Coordinates of all heavy atoms in Angstrom, one line a residue:
L1 N -13.5 7.8 -12.1 CA -14.1 6.6 -11.6 C -14.5 6.8 -10.2 O -13.8 7.4 -9.4 CB -13.2 5.4 -11.8 CG -12.8 4.9 -13.1 CD1 -11.7 3.9 -13.1 CD2 -14.0 4.4 -13.9
P2 N -15.6 6.2 -9.8 CA -16.0 6.2 -8.4 C -15.0 5.5 -7.5 O -14.4 4.5 -7.9 CB -17.3 5.5 -8.3 CG -17.8 5.5 -9.7 CD -16.6 5.5 -10.6
E3 N -14.7 6.1 -6.3 CA -13.8 5.5 -5.3 C -14.1 4.0 -5.0 O -13.2 3.2 -4.8 CB -13.8 6.3 -4.1 CG -13.1 7.6 -4.2 CD -11.6 7.4 -4.5 OE1 -10.9 6.5 -3.9 OE2 -11.1 8.2 -5.3
E4 N -15.4 3.6 -5.0 CA -15.8 2.3 -4.7 C -15.2 1.3 -5.7 O -14.8 0.1 -5.4 CB -17.3 2.1 -4.7 CG -18.0 3.0 -3.8 CD -18.3 4.4 -4.4 OE1 -18.8 4.4 -5.6 OE2 -18.0 5.4 -3.8
L5 N -15.0 1.7 -7.0 CA -14.5 0.8 -8.0 C -12.9 0.6 -7.8 O -12.4 -0.4 -8.2 CB -14.8 1.3 -9.4 CG -16.2 1.3 -9.8 CD1 -16.4 1.9 -11.2 CD2 -16.7 -0.1 -9.8
L6 N -12.3 1.6 -7.2 CA -10.8 1.6 -7.1 C -10.3 0.8 -5.9 O -9.2 0.4 -5.8 CB -10.3 3.0 -7.1 CG -10.5 3.8 -8.4 CD1 -10.0 5.2 -8.2 CD2 -9.9 3.1 -9.6
Q7 N -11.2 0.6 -4.9 CA -10.8 -0.1 -3.7 C -10.4 -1.5 -4.0 O -11.0 -2.3 -4.8 CB -12.0 -0.1 -2.7 CG -12.2 1.2 -2.1 CD -13.4 1.2 -1.1 OE1 -14.1 0.2 -1.0 NE2 -13.5 2.3 -0.4
G8 N -9.3 -1.9 -3.5 CA -8.7 -3.3 -3.7 C -8.0 -3.4 -5.0 O -7.4 -4.5 -5.2
I9 N -7.9 -2.4 -5.9 CA -7.1 -2.5 -7.1 C -5.7 -2.1 -6.8 O -5.5 -1.1 -6.2 CB -7.7 -1.7 -8.2 CG1 -9.1 -2.2 -8.6 CG2 -6.8 -1.6 -9.4 CD1 -9.8 -1.4 -9.6
A10 N -4.8 -2.9 -7.2 CA -3.3 -2.6 -7.1 C -2.6 -3.0 -8.3 O -3.0 -3.9 -9.0 CB -2.8 -3.2 -5.8
S11 N -1.5 -2.4 -8.6 CA -0.6 -2.8 -9.6 C 0.8 -2.9 -9.1 O 1.1 -2.3 -8.1 CB -0.7 -1.8 -10.8 OG -0.3 -0.5 -10.5
S12 N 1.6 -3.7 -9.8 CA 3.0 -3.8 -9.3 C 3.9 -4.1 -10.5 O 3.4 -4.4 -11.6 CB 3.1 -4.9 -8.3 OG 2.7 -6.2 -8.9
G13 N 5.2 -4.0 -10.3 CA 6.1 -4.3 -11.4 C 7.5 -4.1 -11.0 O 7.8 -3.8 -9.9
Y14 N 8.4 -4.2 -12.0 CA 9.8 -4.0 -11.8 C 10.3 -3.0 -12.8 O 9.8 -2.9 -13.9 CB 10.6 -5.3 -12.0 CG 10.3 -6.4 -10.9 CD1 9.3 -7.2 -11.0 CD2 11.2 -6.4 -9.8 CE1 9.1 -8.2 -10.0 CE2 11.0 -7.3 -8.8 CZ 9.9 -8.2 -8.9 OH 9.7 -9.1 -7.9
E15 N 11.3 -2.2 -12.4 CA 12.0 -1.3 -13.3 C 13.5 -1.5 -13.1 O 14.0 -1.9 -12.0 CB 11.6 0.1 -12.9 CG 10.2 0.5 -13.2 CD 9.8 1.9 -12.8 OE1 10.8 2.7 -12.7 OE2 8.7 2.2 -12.7
S16 N 14.2 -1.1 -14.1 CA 15.6 -1.2 -14.1 C 16.2 0.1 -13.4 O 15.6 1.1 -13.5 CB 16.2 -1.3 -15.5 OG 17.6 -1.3 -15.4
T17 N 17.3 -0.1 -12.6 CA 17.9 1.0 -12.0 C 19.3 1.3 -12.7 O 20.0 2.2 -12.4 CB 18.2 0.8 -10.5 OG1 19.0 -0.4 -10.4 CG2 17.0 0.7 -9.7
S18 N 19.5 0.6 -13.8 CA 20.8 0.8 -14.5 C 20.7 1.9 -15.5 O 19.6 2.2 -16.1 CB 21.1 -0.5 -15.3 OG 22.3 -0.3 -16.1
R19 N 21.8 2.7 -15.6 CA 21.8 3.8 -16.5 C 22.4 3.3 -17.9 O 22.5 4.1 -18.8 CB 22.7 4.9 -16.0 CG 22.0 5.6 -14.8 CD 22.9 6.7 -14.3 NE 22.3 7.4 -13.2 CZ 21.8 8.6 -13.3 NH1 21.8 9.3 -14.4 NH2 21.2 9.2 -12.3
I20 N 22.7 2.0 -18.0 CA 23.3 1.5 -19.2 C 22.1 1.0 -20.1 O 21.3 0.2 -19.7 CB 24.2 0.3 -18.9 CG1 25.3 0.8 -18.0 CG2 24.8 -0.3 -20.2 CD1 26.2 -0.4 -17.4
P21 N 22.0 1.5 -21.3 CA 21.0 1.1 -22.2 C 21.0 -0.4 -22.4 O 22.1 -1.0 -22.4 CB 21.3 1.8 -23.5 CG 22.1 3.0 -23.1 CD 22.9 2.5 -21.9
D22 N 19.9 -1.0 -22.5 CA 19.8 -2.5 -22.8 C 20.1 -3.3 -21.6 O 20.3 -4.5 -21.7 CB 20.5 -2.9 -24.0 CG 20.1 -2.2 -25.3 OD1 18.9 -1.9 -25.4 OD2 20.9 -1.9 -26.1
V23 N 20.4 -2.7 -20.4 CA 20.6 -3.5 -19.2 C 19.4 -3.4 -18.3 O 19.1 -2.3 -17.8 CB 21.9 -3.0 -18.4 CG1 22.0 -3.7 -17.1 CG2 23.1 -3.3 -19.3
Y24 N 18.7 -4.5 -18.1 CA 17.5 -4.5 -17.3 C 17.7 -5.3 -16.0 O 17.7 -6.5 -16.0 CB 16.3 -5.0 -18.1 CG 16.1 -4.3 -19.4 CD1 16.6 -4.8 -20.6 CD2 15.5 -3.0 -19.4 CE1 16.4 -4.1 -21.8 CE2 15.4 -2.3 -20.5 CZ 15.8 -2.8 -21.7 OH 15.7 -2.1 -22.9
D25 N 18.1 -4.6 -14.9 CA 18.4 -5.3 -13.7 C 17.3 -5.5 -12.7 O 17.5 -6.2 -11.7 CB 19.6 -4.6 -13.0 CG 19.1 -3.2 -12.5 OD1 18.0 -2.8 -12.7 OD2 20.0 -2.5 -11.9
N26 N 16.1 -5.0 -13.1 CA 14.9 -5.2 -12.2 C 15.3 -4.8 -10.7 O 14.9 -5.4 -9.8 CB 14.4 -6.6 -12.2 CG 13.7 -7.0 -13.5 OD1 13.2 -6.1 -14.2 ND2 13.7 -8.2 -13.8
G27 N 16.1 -3.7 -10.6 CA 16.5 -3.2 -9.3 C 15.5 -2.5 -8.5 O 15.7 -2.3 -7.3
C28 N 14.3 -2.2 -9.1 CA 13.3 -1.6 -8.3 C 12.0 -2.4 -8.4 O 11.5 -2.5 -9.5 CB 13.1 -0.2 -8.8 SG 11.7 0.7 -7.9
M29 N 11.5 -2.9 -7.3 CA 10.2 -3.6 -7.3 C 9.2 -2.5 -6.7 O 9.5 -2.0 -5.7 CB 10.2 -4.8 -6.4 CG 8.9 -5.5 -6.4 SD 8.8 -6.8 -5.1 CE 8.7 -5.8 -3.7
W30 N 8.1 -2.3 -7.4 CA 7.1 -1.3 -6.9 C 5.7 -1.9 -6.8 O 5.4 -2.8 -7.6 CB 7.1 0.0 -7.7 CG 6.8 -0.3 -9.2 CD1 7.7 -0.5 -10.2 CD2 5.6 -0.3 -9.8 NE1 7.1 -0.7 -11.4 CE2 5.8 -0.5 -11.2 CE3 4.3 -0.1 -9.3 CZ2 4.7 -0.6 -12.1 CZ3 3.2 -0.2 -10.2 CH2 3.5 -0.4 -11.6
K31 N 5.0 -1.4 -5.9 CA 3.6 -1.8 -5.7 C 2.8 -0.6 -5.4 O 3.2 0.2 -4.6 CB 3.4 -2.9 -4.6 CG 2.1 -3.5 -4.6 CD 1.8 -4.5 -3.5 CE 2.9 -5.2 -2.9 NZ 2.5 -6.2 -1.9
E32 N 1.7 -0.4 -6.2 CA 0.9 0.9 -6.0 C -0.6 0.5 -5.8 O -1.1 -0.4 -6.5 CB 1.1 1.7 -7.2 CG 0.3 3.0 -7.2 CD 0.5 3.8 -8.5 OE1 1.0 3.2 -9.5 OE2 0.2 5.0 -8.5
S33 N -1.2 1.2 -4.9 CA -2.7 1.1 -4.7 C -3.2 2.5 -4.7 O -2.5 3.5 -4.9 CB -3.0 0.4 -3.4 OG -2.7 1.2 -2.3
A34 N -4.5 2.6 -4.5 CA -5.2 3.9 -4.5 C -4.6 4.8 -3.4 O -4.7 6.0 -3.4 CB -6.7 3.8 -4.4
T35 N -4.1 4.2 -2.3 CA -3.7 4.9 -1.1 C -2.2 4.9 -0.8 O -1.8 5.5 0.1 CB -4.5 4.5 0.1 OG1 -4.2 3.1 0.3 CG2 -6.0 4.8 -0.1
S36 N -1.4 4.0 -1.5 CA 0.0 3.9 -1.1 C 0.9 3.5 -2.3 O 0.4 3.0 -3.3 CB 0.1 2.8 0.0 OG -0.1 1.5 -0.5
L37 N 2.1 3.7 -2.1 CA 3.2 3.4 -3.1 C 4.3 2.8 -2.3 O 4.8 3.4 -1.3 CB 3.7 4.6 -3.8 CG 4.9 4.3 -4.7 CD1 4.6 3.4 -5.9 CD2 5.5 5.6 -5.2
D38 N 4.7 1.5 -2.6 CA 5.8 0.9 -1.9 C 6.9 0.6 -3.0 O 6.5 0.2 -4.1 CB 5.4 -0.5 -1.3 CG 4.4 -0.3 -0.2 OD1 4.6 0.6 0.6 OD2 3.4 -1.1 -0.2
A39 N 8.1 0.9 -2.7 CA 9.2 0.6 -3.6 C 10.4 -0.1 -2.8 O 10.7 0.4 -1.7 CB 9.7 1.9 -4.3
K40 N 10.9 -1.1 -3.4 CA 12.1 -1.8 -2.8 C 13.2 -1.8 -3.8 O 13.1 -2.3 -4.9 CB 11.7 -3.2 -2.5 CG 12.9 -4.0 -1.9 CD 12.5 -5.4 -1.6 CE 13.6 -6.2 -1.0 NZ 13.3 -7.6 -0.7
L41 N 14.3 -1.1 -3.5 CA 15.5 -1.0 -4.3 C 16.5 -2.1 -4.0 O 16.8 -2.3 -2.8 CB 16.1 0.3 -4.2 CG 15.3 1.5 -4.7 CD1 16.0 2.8 -4.3 CD2 15.1 1.4 -6.2
T42 N 16.9 -2.8 -5.0 CA 18.0 -3.8 -4.8 C 19.1 -3.5 -5.8 O 19.0 -3.8 -7.0 CB 17.4 -5.2 -5.1 OG1 16.3 -5.4 -4.3 CG2 18.5 -6.3 -4.8
I43 N 20.1 -2.8 -5.3 CA 21.2 -2.3 -6.2 C 22.5 -3.0 -5.7 O 23.0 -2.6 -4.6 CB 21.3 -0.8 -6.2 CG1 19.9 -0.2 -6.6 CG2 22.4 -0.3 -7.1 CD1 19.8 1.3 -6.4
P44 N 23.0 -4.0 -6.4 CA 24.1 -4.7 -5.9 C 25.4 -3.8 -5.6 O 26.0 -4.1 -4.6 CB 24.5 -5.7 -7.1 CG 23.2 -5.8 -7.8 CD 22.5 -4.5 -7.7
G45 N 25.6 -2.8 -6.3 CA 26.8 -1.9 -6.1 C 26.7 -1.2 -4.7 O 27.7 -0.7 -4.3
L46 N 25.5 -1.1 -4.1 CA 25.4 -0.4 -2.9 C 25.5 -1.3 -1.7 O 25.6 -0.8 -0.5 CB 24.0 0.3 -2.8 CG 23.9 1.5 -3.8 CD1 22.5 2.1 -3.7 CD2 24.9 2.5 -3.6
R47 N 25.5 -2.6 -1.9 CA 25.7 -3.5 -0.8 C 27.0 -3.3 0.0 O 28.0 -3.1 -0.6 CB 25.7 -5.0 -1.3 CG 25.7 -6.0 -0.1 CD 25.3 -7.3 -0.6 NE 23.9 -7.2 -0.9 CZ 23.2 -8.2 -1.3 NH1 23.7 -9.4 -1.5 NH2 21.9 -8.1 -1.5
G48 N 26.9 -3.1 1.3 CA 28.0 -2.8 2.1 C 28.4 -1.4 2.2 O 29.3 -1.0 3.0
Q49 N 27.7 -0.5 1.5 CA 28.0 0.9 1.6 C 27.3 1.5 2.8 O 26.3 1.0 3.3 CB 27.5 1.6 0.3 CG 28.2 1.2 -0.9 CD 29.7 1.4 -0.9 OE1 30.2 2.4 -0.4 NE2 30.4 0.4 -1.4
P50 N 27.7 2.6 3.3 CA 27.1 3.2 4.5 C 25.7 3.7 4.2 O 25.4 4.2 3.0 CB 28.0 4.4 4.8 CG 28.8 4.7 3.6 CD 28.9 3.4 2.8
A51 N 24.8 3.6 5.1 CA 23.4 4.0 4.9 C 23.3 5.5 4.6 O 22.4 5.9 3.9 CB 22.6 3.6 6.2
A52 N 24.2 6.2 5.1 CA 24.2 7.7 4.8 C 24.4 8.0 3.4 O 24.2 9.2 3.0 CB 25.3 8.4 5.7
C53 N 24.8 7.1 2.5 CA 25.0 7.4 1.1 C 23.7 7.5 0.4 O 23.6 8.0 -0.7 CB 25.9 6.4 0.4 SG 25.1 4.8 0.0
L54 N 22.6 7.0 1.0 CA 21.2 7.1 0.4 C 20.4 8.2 0.9 O 20.5 8.6 2.1 CB 20.5 5.8 0.7 CG 21.0 4.5 0.0 CD1 20.3 3.3 0.5 CD2 20.9 4.6 -1.5
A55 N 19.6 8.8 0.1 CA 18.7 9.9 0.5 C 17.4 9.7 -0.3 O 17.4 9.3 -1.4 CB 19.3 11.2 0.2
V56 N 16.3 10.0 0.4 CA 15.0 10.0 -0.2 C 14.5 11.4 -0.1 O 14.4 12.0 1.0 CB 14.0 9.1 0.5 CG1 12.7 9.1 -0.1 CG2 14.6 7.6 0.5
E57 N 14.1 12.0 -1.3 CA 13.6 13.4 -1.3 C 12.2 13.4 -1.7 O 11.8 12.7 -2.7 CB 14.5 14.2 -2.3 CG 15.9 14.2 -1.9 CD 16.8 14.8 -3.0 OE1 16.3 15.5 -3.9 OE2 18.0 14.6 -2.9
F58 N 11.4 14.1 -1.0 CA 9.9 14.2 -1.2 C 9.6 15.6 -1.7 O 9.9 16.5 -1.0 CB 9.1 13.9 0.0 CG 9.3 12.5 0.5 CD1 10.3 12.2 1.5 CD2 8.5 11.4 0.0 CE1 10.5 10.9 2.0 CE2 8.7 10.1 0.5 CZ 9.7 9.9 1.5
A59 N 9.0 15.7 -2.9 CA 8.5 17.0 -3.3 C 7.0 16.9 -3.3 O 6.5 15.9 -2.8 CB 9.1 17.3 -4.7
T60 N 6.4 17.9 -3.7 CA 4.9 18.0 -3.7 C 4.3 16.8 -4.4 O 3.3 16.1 -3.9 CB 4.3 19.3 -4.3 OG1 5.0 20.4 -3.6 CG2 2.9 19.4 -4.1
T61 N 4.8 16.4 -5.5 CA 4.1 15.3 -6.3 C 5.2 14.3 -6.8 O 4.9 13.5 -7.7 CB 3.3 15.9 -7.5 OG1 4.2 16.6 -8.3 CG2 2.2 16.7 -7.1
T62 N 6.4 14.3 -6.3 CA 7.4 13.3 -6.7 C 8.2 12.8 -5.5 O 8.2 13.4 -4.5 CB 8.4 14.0 -7.7 OG1 9.1 15.0 -7.0 CG2 7.8 14.5 -8.9
V63 N 8.7 11.6 -5.7 CA 9.7 11.0 -4.8 C 10.9 10.6 -5.5 O 10.8 10.0 -6.6 CB 9.0 9.7 -4.1 CG1 10.0 9.1 -3.2 CG2 7.8 10.1 -3.4
T64 N 12.1 11.0 -5.0 CA 13.3 10.7 -5.7 C 14.3 10.0 -4.7 O 14.4 10.5 -3.5 CB 14.0 11.9 -6.2 OG1 13.1 12.6 -7.1 CG2 15.3 11.6 -7.0
V65 N 14.9 8.9 -5.1 CA 15.9 8.3 -4.3 C 17.3 8.5 -4.9 O 17.5 8.3 -6.1 CB 15.7 6.7 -4.2 CG1 16.8 6.0 -3.4 CG2 14.3 6.5 -3.6
T66 N 18.3 9.0 -4.1 CA 19.6 9.2 -4.6 C 20.6 8.3 -3.8 O 20.4 8.0 -2.7 CB 20.0 10.7 -4.5 OG1 20.0 11.0 -3.1 CG2 19.1 11.6 -5.3
A67 N 21.7 7.9 -4.5 CA 22.8 7.2 -3.9 C 24.1 7.9 -4.3 O 24.3 8.1 -5.5 CB 22.8 5.8 -4.4
F68 N 24.8 8.4 -3.3 CA 26.0 9.2 -3.5 C 25.7 10.4 -4.4 O 26.4 10.7 -5.3 CB 27.1 8.3 -4.1 CG 27.6 7.3 -3.2 CD1 27.3 5.9 -3.4 CD2 28.4 7.6 -2.1 CE1 27.8 5.0 -2.5 CE2 28.9 6.6 -1.2 CZ 28.6 5.3 -1.5
A69 N 24.5 11.0 -4.1 CA 24.1 12.2 -4.8 C 23.7 12.0 -6.3 O 23.5 12.9 -7.0 CB 25.1 13.3 -4.7
M70 N 23.5 10.7 -6.7 CA 23.1 10.5 -8.1 C 21.7 9.8 -8.0 O 21.5 8.9 -7.2 CB 24.0 9.5 -8.8 CG 25.4 10.1 -8.9 SD 26.3 9.8 -10.5 CE 25.1 9.4 -11.7
V71 N 20.8 10.3 -8.8 CA 19.4 9.8 -8.8 C 19.4 8.3 -9.3 O 20.0 8.0 -10.3 CB 18.5 10.6 -9.7 CG1 17.1 10.0 -9.8 CG2 18.4 12.0 -9.2
V72 N 18.9 7.4 -8.5 CA 18.8 6.0 -8.9 C 17.3 5.6 -9.1 O 17.1 4.6 -9.8 CB 19.4 5.1 -7.8 CG1 20.9 5.3 -7.8 CG2 18.8 5.2 -6.5
W73 N 16.4 6.4 -8.6 CA 15.0 6.0 -8.9 C 14.1 7.2 -8.6 O 14.4 8.0 -7.6 CB 14.6 4.9 -8.0 CG 13.2 4.4 -8.3 CD1 12.7 3.6 -9.3 CD2 12.0 4.6 -7.5 NE1 11.4 3.4 -9.2 CE2 10.9 4.0 -8.1 CE3 11.8 5.4 -6.3 CZ2 9.6 4.1 -7.6 CZ3 10.5 5.4 -5.9 CH2 9.4 4.8 -6.5
S74 N 13.1 7.5 -9.3 CA 12.1 8.5 -9.0 C 10.8 8.2 -9.6 O 10.7 7.3 -10.5 CB 12.6 9.9 -9.6 OG 12.6 9.8 -11.0
C75 N 9.8 8.8 -9.1 CA 8.4 8.6 -9.6 C 7.6 9.8 -9.4 O 7.9 10.7 -8.6 CB 7.7 7.4 -8.8 SG 7.3 7.7 -7.1
V76 N 6.6 9.9 -10.3 CA 5.6 11.0 -10.2 C 4.4 10.5 -9.5 O 3.8 9.4 -10.0 CB 5.3 11.6 -11.6 CG1 4.2 12.6 -11.5 CG2 6.5 12.1 -12.3
L77 N 3.9 11.1 -8.5 CA 2.7 10.7 -7.8 C 1.5 11.2 -8.4 O 1.5 12.2 -9.1 CB 2.8 11.2 -6.3 CG 4.1 10.7 -5.6 CD1 4.1 11.4 -4.2 CD2 4.1 9.2 -5.4
K78 N 0.4 10.5 -8.2 CA -0.9 10.9 -8.8 C -1.5 12.1 -8.1 O -2.2 12.9 -8.7 CB -1.9 9.8 -8.7 CG -1.6 8.6 -9.6 CD -2.5 7.5 -9.2 CE -3.5 7.2 -10.3 NZ -4.4 6.1 -10.0
G79 N -1.1 12.4 -6.9 CA -1.6 13.5 -6.2 C -0.5 14.0 -5.2 O 0.6 13.6 -5.2
E80 N -0.9 15.0 -4.4 CA 0.1 15.6 -3.5 C 0.3 14.7 -2.3 O -0.5 13.9 -1.9 CB -0.4 16.9 -3.0 CG -0.4 18.0 -4.1 CD -0.7 19.4 -3.6 OE1 -0.8 19.5 -2.3 OE2 -0.9 20.3 -4.4
I81 N 1.5 14.8 -1.7 CA 1.9 14.0 -0.5 C 1.1 14.6 0.6 O 1.0 15.8 0.8 CB 3.4 14.1 -0.3 CG1 4.1 13.4 -1.4 CG2 3.7 13.5 1.1 CD1 5.6 13.6 -1.3
V82 N 0.5 13.6 1.4 CA -0.3 14.0 2.6 C 0.5 13.6 3.8 O 0.9 12.5 3.9 CB -1.7 13.3 2.5 CG1 -2.5 13.7 3.8 CG2 -2.4 13.7 1.3
S83 N 0.7 14.5 4.7 CA 1.4 14.2 5.9 C 0.6 14.1 7.1 O -0.5 14.5 7.1 CB 2.6 15.1 6.1 OG 2.1 16.5 6.1

């Protein structure tokens, strides 16, 4: 599709961060556009924990968030990360 058609188009949604089947906690709110990806994690078990327990890892085409070295959210990007 031409870039002109994609301008202003965005999608958003919620995903569960629970590893328990059939538990949908909507712990991750995400919003994506042609040029950015925003994600907000709301994980009740992490409230009050030290900030150092969280890590964000960027690979060429993925982003992964870990808490206490366990993956809590990840996504595959449409293209490579540009710095």
Side-chain angles (χ1 to χ4, degrees):
L1 292 173
E3 286 294 320
E4 304 85 49
L5 292 176
L6 298 176
Q7 290 180 349
I9 294 177
S11 60
S12 62
Y14 289 88
E15 293 181 19
S16 178
T17 58
S18 176
R19 291 179 178 254
I20 302 170
D22 301 324
V23 173
Y24 305 102
D25 64 2
N26 290 335
C28 176
M29 179 190 77
W30 57 271
K31 191 180 338 182
E32 180 181 18
S33 70
T35 59
S36 69
L37 170 70
D38 296 317
K40 179 181 178 183
L41 294 172
T42 307
I43 304 172
L46 292 179
R47 182 164 292 182
Q49 300 299 323
C53 78
L54 293 174
V56 180
E57 300 171 18
F58 298 92
T60 307
T61 57
T62 61
V63 177
T64 303
V65 177
T66 60
F68 294 105
M70 298 220 22
V71 174
V72 294
W73 185 79
S74 65
C75 70
V76 177
L77 303 172
K78 290 171 111 177
E80 291 188 8
I81 293 175
V82 178
S83 54

